Amino acid sequence: MYHSLVDSLPINVIRKSLRGQLTFANRTYCELIGRPLNELVGLTDYDLFPAQLAEKYVRDDEHVAATGDVFHDIEKNVTDGKARYFEVYKVPVYGGDSRIAETQAIFWDVTERVETREALARERDLLQTLMDSLPDLVYVKDRESRFVMGNRAQLRVANVERPELFERTTAHDYFPEEIADGYVAEDREVMRTGEPMLDREEHWIDREGRPRWYLSSKVPLRDRDGSTLGIVGIDREITNRKLMEEELRRSNRELDQFVSVVTHDLQAPLRVVASYGKLLGDSLSTSENAEVADYLAEMRSGLARMQRLIDSLRSYARLTEKQQPKRPTDLNLVVQQALANLEVVIREHQASVTVVESLPTVWGDGVQLMQLFQNLVANAVKYCRDRQPVVTIDCLERGDEWQVSIADNGIGIAADRIPDIFRIFQRLHEDEREFEGTGIGLAVCKRIVDRHQGRIWVESVVGQGSIVHFMLPKNPVGEDVGVDQK
Ligand code: ADP
């Protein structure tokens, strides 16, 4: 029974005498070695294997024979430069006198298993190295929102020294309850819907009391059958960017306050010069002093221009002071108001202004958006020369943005000058008598569009007309940049 059983086993079974000679080998072993049993009986490991291997086999046999212990090992056997692995059990075989008479070894090829395990380990190491070299926090959570693993950056932020100490912890181990509850709710939502959560801004105060900001993304983790195992999360720190934005806001605020004070203080001496200029003019008899009267007229027009420049600079700087919180704003009403304010100018130029599409409702500051339209339509009407101005306001939906366009049939702008016109005091027509202005209108427009996280640009053909386009995001994120937050 023993022999028929052992011979039919797909694993190798051999027995050796205490002197190390084979006394039995099953069929599988004979096939492995490639020799029949009768040729094998009596041979030792030295007859069958290289000396180094044979020595190890003999040593293990002797250990079993001496102690009666079961020996277990995964052995590596390199033949013809190719490594094979065998799982080996060696046990003592007792004789009739209850003493150890032989040793029996059973072993089988586990090369595939070992190679698969090594390949997996290599892949895991590669993945780990990759994740650990990322500055972003990367983690995996199971379905109960317990951490399964985290990369080095994640462990550092969590202040956990070893990966094992991170496993099975939850957000509640690192954050106050209501914040942690929020994170767990996010995890559940991602797992429930299968929809990733991308770049959500998260803010918290770290252990040292410093504010930190992260862009947090979570994606569902699924197995091959599609069932949800948990989530993979990536948090990218944006604290420096946030602090820089804050600094930018602060210095913009200071600059605006400075300009506001300076323009205010300049008014008084300007008024003094203007009023004495007037007194001087009044006390002269113009018929006798025609030349002096001319000088005075020049002086007065210079003063008036200076007054206009200071006023517009002041209005530019006070944009932030006067701004309103953003709220849903119907652009149809905004444009109506802007056109009502421009009624006189439009009539004087006999301009036709049409709004082609019904305009959307956007997230914005109504007063500033009104100023934006007012400045753009005013320019469109103004820069027309002899032609009757035809102005068209249009709006297109472009993905998650609205693109508003204001087109005119005016004098146009040379392509190489287009970048200049959004800068403060930049005018393409130095002669104020032709087109009145101070060169601040478009700078104000740019500032307003920036505050609404949009873009503004111009397309133009000289002599045919210009189109000013601006984009407004449908769902602006975060705070205002570049201007004061009230
Ligand atoms: P201002 O109109 O007070 O000069 P803006 O900042 O509004 O100041 O415009 C800057 C310059 O850009 C203008 O002086 C003008 O040369 C040019 N510009 C603006 N809008 C138009 C337009 N629709 N067509 C032609 N040129 C324009």
Side-chain angles (χ1 to χ4, degrees):
M1 257 180 77
Y2 169 82
H3 277 270
S4 65
L5 172 71
V6 162
D7 251 350
S8 60
L9 283 178
I11 61 179
N12 304 282
V13 182
I14 51 171
R15 287 204 314 273
K16 287 183 224 165
S17 71
L18 295 182
R19 284 202 303 276
Q21 287 170 311
L22 276 171
T23 58
F24 171 75
N26 72 344
R27 199 179 300 154
T28 306
Y29 184 79
C30 294
E31 278 163 16
L32 175 75
I33 300 293
R35 289 160 82 169
L37 178 61
N38 59 2
E39 281 183 28
L40 289 175
V41 170
L43 298 182
T44 69
D45 289 330
Y46 288 98
D47 301 319
L48 295 168
F49 304 107
Q52 223 179 341
L53 265 187
E55 255 166 49
K56 176 191 175 340
Y57 296 160
V58 168
R59 209 167 42 240
D60 297 339
D61 289 341
E62 283 172 358
H63 175 78
V64 173
T67 61
D69 290 345
V70 174
F71 170 87
H72 175 224
D73 197 9
I74 307 270
E75 285 175 352
K76 188 176 178 183
N77 179 344
V78 183
T79 20
D80 305 330
K82 190 170 168 4
R84 299 211 66 82
Y85 297 86
F86 292 91
E87 180 153 14
V88 186
Y89 280 92
K90 289 185 175 178
V91 292
V93 179
Y94 291 89
D97 53 3
S98 300
R99 301 225 319 243
I100 294 172
E102 291 187 310
T103 58
Q104 174 168 270
I106 59 173
F107 57 94
W108 58 94
D109 194 328
V110 290
T111 308
E112 212 169 298
R113 199 178 82 197
V114 171
E115 280 178 354
T116 309
R117 206 169 48 205
E118 282 180 355
L120 267 178
R122 265 198 309 278
E123 247 174 61
R124 205 183 40 225
D125 288 348
L126 189 74
L127 191 67
Q128 191 72 41
T129 314
L130 197 85
M131 288 202 313
D132 281 346
S133 59
L134 287 176
D136 297 343
L137 319 189
V138 183
Y139 58 83
V140 177
K141 283 183 186 174
D142 67 13
R143 285 161 55 142
E144 273 74 49
S145 278
R146 287 177 302 218
F147 288 108
V148 177
M149 56 156 305
N151 71 343
R152 193 172 294 159
Q154 170 66 74
L155 297 194
R156 198 171 43 239
V157 168
N159 198 27
V160 172
E161 268 171 33
R162 278 173 293 131
E164 314 84 84
L165 300 177
F166 187 60
E167 278 165 34
R168 303 182 72 79
T169 60
T170 69
H172 287 88
D173 295 304
Y174 308 103
F175 295 100
E177 184 157 0
E178 66 278 23
I179 294 184
D181 284 348
Y183 292 154
V184 171
E186 278 173 8
D187 300 348
R188 291 225 180 95
E189 187 64 9
V190 169
M191 285 188 268
R192 191 182 64 78
T193 60
E195 291 287 323
M197 177 193 99
L198 297 174
D199 287 343
R200 178 168 302 177
E201 209 172 294
E202 315 266 11
H203 172 56
W204 72 76
I205 306 293
D206 72 7
R207 289 188 311 280
E208 279 90 37
R210 284 179 309 220
R212 284 178 180 258
W213 285 265
Y214 283 87
L215 281 184
S216 175
S217 299
K218 295 179 181 183
V219 290
L221 178 66
R222 296 208 185 86
D223 65 10
R224 282 163 158 245
D225 304 331
S227 25
T228 305
L229 301 175
I231 59 149
V232 179
I234 302 180
D235 291 342
R236 167 161 300 180
E237 179 154 22
I238 51 163
T239 304
N240 284 344
R241 196 183 86 194
K242 279 282 168 188
L243 292 176
M244 262 150 62
E245 281 174 8
E246 176 55 39
E247 177 59 22
L248 191 67
R249 255 196 299 279
R250 199 188 54 72
S251 68
N252 274 343
R253 208 155 50 217
E254 277 182 14
L255 199 63
D256 283 345
Q257 278 162 2
F258 170 76
V259 172
S260 211
V261 169
V262 169
T263 47
H264 176 263
D265 289 358
L266 281 176
Q267 313 267 8
L270 206 61
R271 264 198 303 272
V272 173
V273 179
S275 51
Y276 280 98
K278 184 169 185 317
L279 286 178
L280 200 58
D282 292 348
S283 65
L284 281 174
S285 143
T286 43
S287 55
E288 290 163 29
N289 296 288
E291 213 176 338
V292 178
D294 274 355
Y295 295 163
L296 278 174
E298 283 295 326
M299 189 179 99
R300 250 186 257 136
S301 105
L303 276 173
R305 175 154 174 72
M306 189 151 171
Q307 184 69 54
R308 280 201 299 279
L309 286 174
I310 287 177
D311 285 348
S312 50
L313 193 54
R314 190 166 167 76
S315 67
Y316 178 81
R318 296 186 73 181
L319 259 186
T320 58
E321 220 173 284
K322 295 219 179 117
Q323 78 189 25
Q324 300 294 317
K326 290 184 212 145
R327 53 172 67 95
T329 305
D330 182 350
L331 287 187
N332 296 297
L333 301 180
V334 167
V335 169
Q336 245 174 44
Q337 181 65 50
L339 297 185
N341 295 350
L342 292 171
E343 202 194 325
V344 177
V345 186
I346 292 174
R347 201 167 348 108
E348 272 174 11
H349 285 82
Q350 295 178 330
S352 114
V353 182
T354 5
V355 184
V356 171
E357 281 291 326
S358 154
L359 300 169
T361 292
V362 300
W363 188 252
D365 175 339
V367 176
Q368 290 195 341
L369 291 175
M370 196 269 292
Q371 197 172 355
L372 172 66
F373 277 101
Q374 192 173 316
N375 290 359
L376 295 178
V377 174
N379 280 351
V381 172
K382 179 164 60 167
Y383 294 103
C384 243
R385 237 165 232 146
D386 327 314
R387 230 172 279 161
Q388 184 213 354
V390 178
V391 182
T392 323
I393 301 177
D394 200 353
C395 182
L396 289 175
E397 190 169 358
R398 289 200 185 275
D400 43 15
E401 292 176 303
W402 295 109
Q403 178 177 328
V404 181
S405 308
I406 290 136
D408 64 47
N409 59 339
I411 57 173
I413 306 165
D416 60 330
R417 302 300 306 276
I418 286 179
D420 296 339
I421 60 175
F422 290 101
R423 288 210 296 272
I424 199 162
F425 293 150
Q426 293 289 321
R427 311 201 68 224
L428 306 186
H429 314 278
E430 287 308 330
D431 184 359
E432 247 226 282
R433 274 164 302 190
E434 185 172 14
F435 299 108
E436 211 176 85
T438 55
I440 212 129
L442 288 179
V444 165
C445 291
K446 176 154 180 6
R447 220 174 177 196
I448 292 172
V449 172
D450 282 350
R451 181 185 168 214
H452 288 78
Q453 292 162 28
R455 286 168 283 136
I456 184 165
W457 72 101
V458 176
E459 278 176 74
S460 187
V461 178
V462 173
Q464 289 186 20
S466 313
I467 313 179
V468 182
H469 304 278
F470 62 88
M471 286 277 200
L472 296 178
K474 289 183 190 165
N475 305 301
V477 285
E479 301 152 298
D480 294 347
V481 178
V483 263
D484 191 11
Q485 270 278 296
K486 287 223 172 152

